[in-house]
Every structure is written in structure tokens, then in C-alpha cells.
Amino acid sequence: MEKGQRKTTPLLLCSHIVVLHLLSLVAETSAKVSAVIVFGDSSVDAGNNNFIPTIARSNFQPYGRDFEGGKATGRFCNGRIPTDFISESFGLKPYVPAYLDPKYNISDFASGVTFASAATGYDNATSDVLSVIPLWKQLEYYKGYQKNLSAYLGESKAKDTIAEALHLMSLGTNDFLENYYTMPGRASQFTPQQYQNFLAAIAENFIRSLYGLGARKVSLGGLPPMGCLPLERTTSIAGGNDCVARYNNIALEFNNRLKNLTIKLNQELPGLKLVFSNPYYIMLSIIKRPQLYGFESTSVACCATGMFEMGYACSRGQMFSCTDASKYVFWDSFHPTEMTNSIVAKYVVLRVLYQFLQ
């Protein structure tokens, strides 16, 4: 599509009105979610990677150009990411701050914090690829956070805050696209199905660890249709710019494992409320029928040429970037725009996360 004025469809306008009304009802409910605590990858990293030695960063233009103040915070987006919208929908802050950002302290983190690190995964070998924060280290940061929270709120109130906090997990895409199907190691050790079981076991142990530390409200995020990312479409030699079916099928298989894990752990861990937040079908709907959601471009991203750039390459090619990111499903070749993030976040809140306000 040519870059120009954004068209607002009646369906999009109507759906936004309905969603905003429903979210206002959620926000008016007495807050049963005390904080939003986040673990994961670039889908939910608000800037932790700015403070570690890695090239997996986005704290430069044009990232953040639609964020408050036009600031590049380290979010891999033109604006806000899903957890920002989720936090706001629960009547908490409109932004979830990064744990390693020195401009924030425990008073900021008491109602929300993200330990996420772009380019990480369940597998430690995935985090090693670009030297980012592995999931086990995110858990160690969380333990330190709990100690600081106890000192700030008092032990009893801190325990209540942790028990009432919504713990969000969003990761797994990098394990397949950055690691298994790119690097030689894991593919020589595991079949795709064996690797899925390997990752699901790590997810299970992580949730059990959260439970042991007092978490009782947990959302386990699924994989998107990762074969439809612009990067995968561009680099698929035989695909003709179509979604890569093999990667989408892997996402569906892995999501099914995570869904079954959710059922299992809810049965085994007393008092745990674990939900599976699946972005796959809403993302696929947006990608396959973009006009219904007000989008014009789905196979090409906004930043640079929109085909393969992210991170520093996105910055170097920013002269080619689109003028209106809200017309695009994807911001760079791997990450959605703020508009897409808002739609997916609202969908997950209304379909799944609303349960935590009951």
C-alpha cells in the first residue's frame, strides 16, 4: 500500500468503542490485581537490554517515535508494548518499567515491573546467542525484587502484593527462530517435537518456582503465528512472500503443549490460578484480514524497507520508514506496531485476563 492518510473503517471504530467501554468497566472494578510482573523477551522488554552488553537493543530512533515524548525507551516498537496496555487496563500505570533502568526504584516497581530481555527464550542457549538475560537470571532478579518490596512495604503487605500480582510470561519465539532453526546445536540434539517438550519442561519448572515464591496469579503466553513475521516471509525462498506454514505449525503445536501444561499445574498446585493467553488466532486474524482492523500493510513492516530490518538495521534505514505506523501490522521485521499491540492486549484482557478481577 502507498504511504498516505490512514482510513478508519466503521467496524474498527465500532470495535474500539466496545473495547474501550468494556475496559472502563474492568478499570472501575476494585483492583484485585496489585501489580503486573513480567518475564519474557522483546515482546515485553521495556528497556532492560539498554543496561547490558548486547546488540539486541532498540534505545534509538526511530523506535519509540510514537511513545510519550517520542522517546526510544528500549521497547521494540514505535510506542507501547502489550504489557503496558494490560497494566493500564487493570487500573495500574500505563507503562511497566524495566527493572534495570536506574531512573526507577522500588516505589515505581511496587505496582509493576518487567524483568524481560529482548532475544531471550526458555532455553539458556537462546539467551547466549546475543548475550542477553536468560530466564533463570530473570527469576533471580525477581527474588531480589521481592526482598526490596518487603523492605519497602513491610513483609506482610509485600506477600499480599505478590499473591495478588499478575505474573505475565511472554517468550518462546526466539527459541525456534533465533536458535533451533538458525544455530546448529539444538537441532542436532532434538527433533522439533522433542525440543518443544524440552522448552515446556523449562516453562513448568519456572511456574513452579514462581508458585514457591508466592505467586498465585500467572498468565502463560503462547506463540504468535511466527511464520507470518515479515522477516520469515522475506527469507523464505520458496514461499512467495506467504506465511511460512512450518513455523506456524510449530507455534500451534507448542501452544497446545502450553495449554495442557496450564491444565496440569492448576490441578497440582493448590491456590494457583494459571491461564493460557494465546495471541495466535487474533494475530492471524489481523494478518489475514487487516482491513477489518484498519490496517493496510501486513507482509511488510513500517521501519526501513520493512522486509528484514530490526534493531540497528532499522535505525540505519529509517529514511525509508513509513510515515504512519498505525497503518502497519508490524513495526519492524519481527515486532508488531503499537496499534497491533493494543488490539492483541485488549483481546487477551477481555478473553482471558478478566478472570483475575473476579
Side-chain angles (χ1 to χ4, degrees):
M1 289 286 179
E2 292 295 323
K3 297 170 182 176
Q5 292 294 315
R6 175 174 173 78
K7 293 183 286 187
T8 303
T9 66
L11 177 59
L12 178 69
L13 184 61
C14 178
S15 66
H16 276 188
I17 291 171
V18 171
V19 167
L20 287 171
H21 174 65
L22 289 171
L23 288 176
S24 70
L25 294 179
V26 170
E28 287 169 9
T29 312
S30 59
K32 293 184 179 179
V33 170
S34 58
V36 170
I37 299 173
V38 186
F39 306 89
D41 57 21
S42 59
S43 60
V44 290
D45 181 0
N48 284 312
N49 277 17
N50 301 350
F51 307 99
I52 62 172
T54 179
I55 62 167
R57 293 186 183 182
S58 60
N59 56 332
F60 39 77
Q61 293 296 322
Y63 288 93
R65 73 182 198 188
D66 298 311
F67 197 81
E68 184 179 12
K71 181 174 175 55
T73 61
R75 290 167 171 83
F76 277 79
C77 186
N78 60 303
R80 292 199 283 168
I81 53 179
T83 39
D84 295 324
F85 290 104
I86 290 170
S87 174
E88 185 177 39
S89 75
F90 281 104
L92 300 170
K93 294 177 297 191
Y95 310 107
V96 179
Y99 183 67
L100 296 184
D101 192 330
K103 72 172 176 282
Y104 299 109
N105 57 42
I106 192 61
S107 64
D108 302 298
F109 298 145
S111 60
V113 61
T114 178
F115 304 99
S117 176
T120 201
Y122 287 106
D123 187 353
N124 288 339
T126 303
S127 61
D128 288 343
V129 174
L130 292 176
S131 301
V132 297
I133 306 167
L135 192 57
W136 68 263
K137 182 66 173 178
Q138 294 184 33
L139 188 68
E140 291 302 306
Y141 283 145
Y142 175 62
K143 292 175 183 176
Y145 162 76
Q146 285 200 359
K147 291 179 181 177
N148 292 337
L149 193 67
S150 291
Y152 177 66
L153 296 177
E155 187 173 344
S156 178
K157 189 173 181 182
K159 284 184 177 179
D160 290 343
T161 297
I162 293 299
E164 293 298 328
L166 174 56
H167 294 69
L168 293 164
M169 298 168 58
S170 177
L171 67 167
T173 302
N174 296 321
D175 289 304
F176 295 99
L177 299 186
E178 180 190 315
N179 184 2
Y180 187 85
Y181 287 109
T182 305
M183 309 299 287
R186 293 307 193 196
S188 66
Q189 293 177 267
F190 301 106
T191 66
Q193 286 66 38
Q194 289 171 337
Y195 191 56
Q196 290 176 47
N197 290 335
F198 173 73
L199 298 178
I202 296 171
E204 176 175 352
N205 290 335
F206 187 81
I207 294 167
R208 289 184 181 276
S209 294
L210 290 180
Y211 179 83
L213 292 166
R216 292 298 179 268
K217 299 178 179 181
V218 182
S219 166
L220 176 59
L223 299 187
M226 55 191 185
C228 294
L229 299 175
L231 178 65
E232 304 312 323
R233 290 188 180 208
T234 300
T235 55
S236 175
I237 298 172
N241 204 38
D242 290 333
C243 295
V244 182
R246 174 177 63 159
Y247 293 155
N248 282 357
N249 289 336
I250 288 290
L252 286 170
E253 290 175 8
F254 188 60
N255 284 348
N256 191 53
R257 282 172 168 78
L258 296 183
K259 184 177 179 181
N260 290 336
L261 175 61
T262 300
I263 296 169
K264 173 188 174 184
L265 292 181
N266 276 322
Q267 293 172 342
E268 294 182 6
L269 300 177
L272 176 67
K273 189 162 191 176
L274 172 64
V275 298
F276 177 55
S277 294
N278 188 359
Y280 186 95
Y281 294 106
I282 180 62
M283 276 297 296
L284 191 65
S285 177
I286 293 169
I287 290 164
K288 295 297 186 183
R289 300 183 296 171
Q291 291 80 8
L292 289 180
Y293 300 88
F295 294 110
E296 295 181 5
S297 179
T298 181
S299 63
V300 175
C302 171
C303 192
T305 67
M307 294 187 290
F308 59 86
E309 298 94 346
M310 62 179 135
Y312 288 107
C314 181
S315 179
R316 286 194 297 269
Q318 65 177 300
M319 68 185 74
F320 302 108
S321 297
C322 75
T323 55
D324 184 0
S326 66
K327 293 189 302 183
Y328 287 70
V329 176
F330 292 97
W331 164 246
D332 65 16
S333 67
F334 214 78
H335 304 97
T337 57
E338 179 181 66
M339 180 65 73
T340 306
N341 285 336
S342 72
I343 294 170
V344 173
K346 290 168 186 175
Y347 174 90
V348 169
V349 168
L350 294 172
R351 291 296 186 97
V352 181
L353 301 181
Y354 74 91
Q355 298 172 62
F356 293 107
L357 286 174
Q358 296 178 328

